[in-house]
Structures are given as structure tokens and as C-alpha cells.
Amino acid sequence: MPTPFPGMDPYLERPSLWPNVHSSLIIAIRDEIAPLLRPRYYVAVEERMVSVGPDDLLFAVRPDVAVVGLPVPKDVGVASSEHAGRIVTVALPMPEQMRETYLEIREARGDQVVTVLEILSPTNKLPGEGRRQYEQKRLALLGTRAHLVEIDLLRTGQAMPMLGYAGHSDYRILISRAEKRPLADLLPFRVREPIPTFRLPLQPGDDEPELDANRLLHAVYDRAGYDLRIDYAAAPDPPLSDEDAAWAASLMRARE
């Protein structure tokens, strides 16, 4: 069953569902553009490990991580038996390694990275170590000759640093061509709009395929059966504004 939304489905942003959406969309984009770029380029799914800690608000990123029913070791020593009744077993926040995937378009000859395509995750947008690491990687990439495409389909957190845009948008796509820096093209859009199409930046003179992320996301939604995992009677996470919530409710009524 297709999503009732014309563009990004805000219910897909739910923290417990988003990692699956993210990885599925990455693969869908790879499968879409790889045949179009042959034989000059190939598309690689790359991954990096991100160290995150308690300041990364892990409850918003990994809601399935919990500490329950911790056994109390019987051989734990105490300073004094008179204080034994006051001892409470607690759990300490621990650093965790999280895997993030992204795409690299590389020249088939020479293996040079031409374009990096990122789909942002909560760790990139929420305050903490994960965002700091991503911003460092992003800044380093902007200092190279590789293009950057950054797709932000999350309303949570803060948008990536940029200057010159004072408007409001729910989502955005950033296309940073190496030859145009520090200028870049920003495609802001709202939850009521389809995800804009754009051309993938490549080497000068090469045909640049158009990427229709809206069509790909909707195809992923249908194939993955996300409608079976979403309760459209409840509010999305994060919630919509009152006006957008009323608009979304009208979509649900039309679907019945």
C-alpha cells in the first residue's frame, strides 16, 4: 500500500523505524544510479563507525537499547555491612559504536571519489559527539575536490551549518559542487511537498542523471510494507505543527 503523503512521510521519522528507512533508501539510490553511471563510474556503499555517548541523546536514536533486570552480583564487597541495606545497583552510561552508511561515486579508473551522498541520521543532527564527528568529516570533505549531496529528511535536531538561508523548511537537500564552493544549491521543502528531484554532480562534461528521491522513497515504502508498522491514528514522532497535523488528518480521511 502506498504512503498517503505526497513526499516525505513524517511517520517514517520515528526513531525505531528510521534506521531501516535510511539503509533501505541508501540501497535503493545505489541500485537506481549505478547502471546509469556505468562504465565511467561505480557506486559504493560505504560505512563509518561513530562513537556516541550519553550526550548524544541515545534514547532518540536507539530506542531499543535499554537496561532492565540487571542481576546483582552476590560477591560484591561493601565498605561496611552496616551500609549494605543502602546499596542501590545502578547502570552507567557507556560509549557505543554506531554504524552509519553513505554512498560514494567513484571513477572506475583510478578509484577517485567524485561525489559523496549522505542521508542524515539523528546522530548527525542532535547535539553530541555524533554531530561533532559528522561536522568534522563534512568540513574535511568540503576542502576536497569531491562533490557533496546531503539529503535531510528529518525534522528533528538542527540543520547542518550554512549561511544565506533564513527561511523555514521541514526538509532540505544540499548540493555542494566542488567548483562552486563556498556556494552551494539548497532545495528546501515542506512536508506537504514532494521531495525535489536534482541532478547528481559528476566530473565536468559528463551527463548527470536526475535523481528522483521521492519516487524511490515511495517505492521503498511499498516494498518494505511500512504501512503495516505505522499507526496513522497516532501522532508522528516528532509531531507535526497544528496546521500540518490537520492537513495530514485530511489525507487519512481520504484514504479510508
Side-chain angles (χ1 to χ4, degrees):
M1 180 178 292
T3 170
F5 291 87
M8 175 59 185
D9 187 327
Y11 286 83
L12 297 178
E13 300 176 58
R14 192 179 75 213
S16 61
L17 187 57
W18 176 252
N20 187 271
V21 176
H22 181 281
S23 58
S24 297
L25 186 55
I26 282 281
I27 296 302
I29 293 175
R30 190 275 311 271
D31 292 347
E32 174 81 3
I33 65 177
L36 304 176
L37 299 179
R38 290 177 57 92
R40 178 143 162 71
Y41 304 97
Y42 71 90
V43 185
V45 178
E46 300 290 344
E47 64 179 36
R48 59 177 172 266
M49 299 303 296
V50 178
S51 297
V52 294
D55 58 342
D56 286 273
L57 302 179
L58 284 182
F59 63 86
V61 182
R62 295 280 297 278
D64 55 332
V65 175
V67 179
V68 294
L70 289 178
V72 179
K74 295 181 179 180
D75 57 349
V76 175
V78 295
S80 173
S81 58
E82 64 182 283
H83 298 297
R86 304 180 187 177
I87 296 176
V88 178
T89 301
V90 297
L92 301 180
M94 300 294 291
E96 184 177 354
Q97 292 286 316
M98 297 188 67
R99 182 179 289 105
E100 293 182 345
T101 56
Y102 58 98
L103 295 179
E104 285 186 349
I105 299 174
R106 291 176 172 262
E107 289 186 328
R109 290 188 178 183
D111 215 36
Q112 178 183 345
V113 177
V114 175
T115 305
V116 174
L117 188 149
E118 297 270 3
I119 300 177
L120 297 184
S121 291
T123 47
N124 307 136
K125 298 190 66 181
L126 294 171
E129 182 63 17
R131 182 181 176 102
R132 187 190 68 80
Q133 291 180 41
Y134 179 74
E135 286 189 349
Q136 285 185 338
K137 175 199 179 283
R138 184 182 191 254
L139 193 61
L141 177 61
L142 293 176
T144 72
R145 298 302 299 170
H147 310 298
L148 170 65
V149 175
E150 202 172 65
I151 301 176
D152 184 357
L153 299 177
L154 296 172
R155 289 169 295 125
T156 190
Q158 293 184 335
M160 288 294 107
M162 64 186 75
L163 300 174
Y165 177 66
H168 170 75
S169 65
D170 297 308
Y171 313 109
R172 59 206 61 82
I173 297 174
L174 180 75
I175 304 165
S176 172
R177 294 177 176 270
E179 68 274 10
K180 291 180 62 177
R181 288 180 188 137
L183 302 180
D185 297 327
L186 181 68
L187 300 174
F189 56 104
R190 306 296 295 267
V191 69
R192 305 190 191 196
E193 301 173 309
I195 302 171
T197 60
F198 61 93
R199 294 199 174 275
L200 279 172
L202 298 173
Q203 295 286 38
D206 288 345
D207 291 335
E208 298 181 345
E210 190 172 68
L211 182 60
D212 187 349
N214 200 73
R215 175 176 57 81
L216 294 179
L217 178 66
H218 285 215
V220 165
Y221 178 100
D222 199 27
R223 289 196 303 269
Y226 287 135
D227 61 301
L228 302 176
R229 303 170 62 178
I230 293 174
D231 178 10
Y232 283 111
D237 183 9
L240 295 166
S241 67
D242 291 342
E243 290 185 356
D244 286 338
W247 167 78
S250 70
L251 294 181
M252 304 308 161
R253 289 194 296 271
R255 192 182 193 185
E256 296 175 353

